Amino acid sequence: MTAEERVSNISLQRQISALSARLDQVAADVVEIKTMLKDIEARVRRLENHEAGSHPLLENRLDAAWRKLEEHDRRIDDLTRIVTRLDQANRLMAWLGGILGSTVLIWLITQILQVVR
């Protein structure tokens, strides 16, 4: 029985050493995975920090663009009101010019008729 025990002990020792080698490999793989995860986490953190820095810049530019658009809209509304007033004034002046022209023409005709008589 001692020979069988020795064979089984040697077999067990081989299995244990193989298992130990596998565990060492698994431990090394776990360390490698941890390193990869830390690298990924660092990259994500850098991206988030970069994005956080550019986000306020974009918001400021968008706000400035909206302010300019609102200012242009206000100016366009002002110009529209001015054009409307000028159109009304132009119509009034044309009407007054027509009346004045007719009055002058009638006066001239009456002057000519008085001279002819």
Side-chain angles (χ1 to χ4, degrees):
M1 279 239 194
T2 58
E4 288 179 10
E5 287 177 4
R6 284 186 184 167
V7 171
S8 64
N9 282 341
I10 291 174
S11 174
L12 284 175
Q13 284 178 351
R14 286 182 187 157
Q15 289 177 356
I16 289 173
S17 63
L19 184 60
S20 176
R22 285 184 185 167
L23 285 175
D24 289 341
Q25 183 61 39
V26 168
D29 291 344
V30 167
V31 168
E32 185 179 343
I33 290 171
K34 282 183 181 179
T35 304
M36 285 174 40
L37 288 175
K38 285 180 183 178
D39 290 343
I40 290 171
E41 183 180 353
R43 279 189 240 150
V44 168
R45 189 176 303 121
R46 281 194 305 268
L47 287 172
E48 287 173 346
N49 288 338
H50 179 69
E51 182 181 329
S54 65
H55 190 66
L57 179 65
L58 290 175
E59 281 187 4
N60 289 338
R61 287 182 180 172
L62 286 174
D63 288 342
W66 277 112
R67 282 192 298 271
K68 281 186 178 182
L69 283 174
E70 289 170 353
E71 182 181 338
H72 288 313
D73 284 345
R74 185 180 48 80
R75 286 182 180 178
I76 288 172
D77 291 342
D78 291 344
L79 289 174
T80 303
R81 279 188 294 248
I82 289 170
V83 167
T84 303
R85 287 181 190 158
L86 287 175
D87 182 48
Q88 291 171 351
N90 188 24
R91 288 182 187 180
L92 179 64
M93 293 302 281
W95 183 75
L96 287 175
I99 291 176
L100 184 62
S102 298
T103 305
V104 168
L105 188 62
I106 291 172
W107 180 78
L108 282 174
I109 291 173
T110 57
Q111 292 298 319
I112 292 172
L113 287 178
Q114 285 179 359
V115 171
V116 172
R117 281 187 194 182

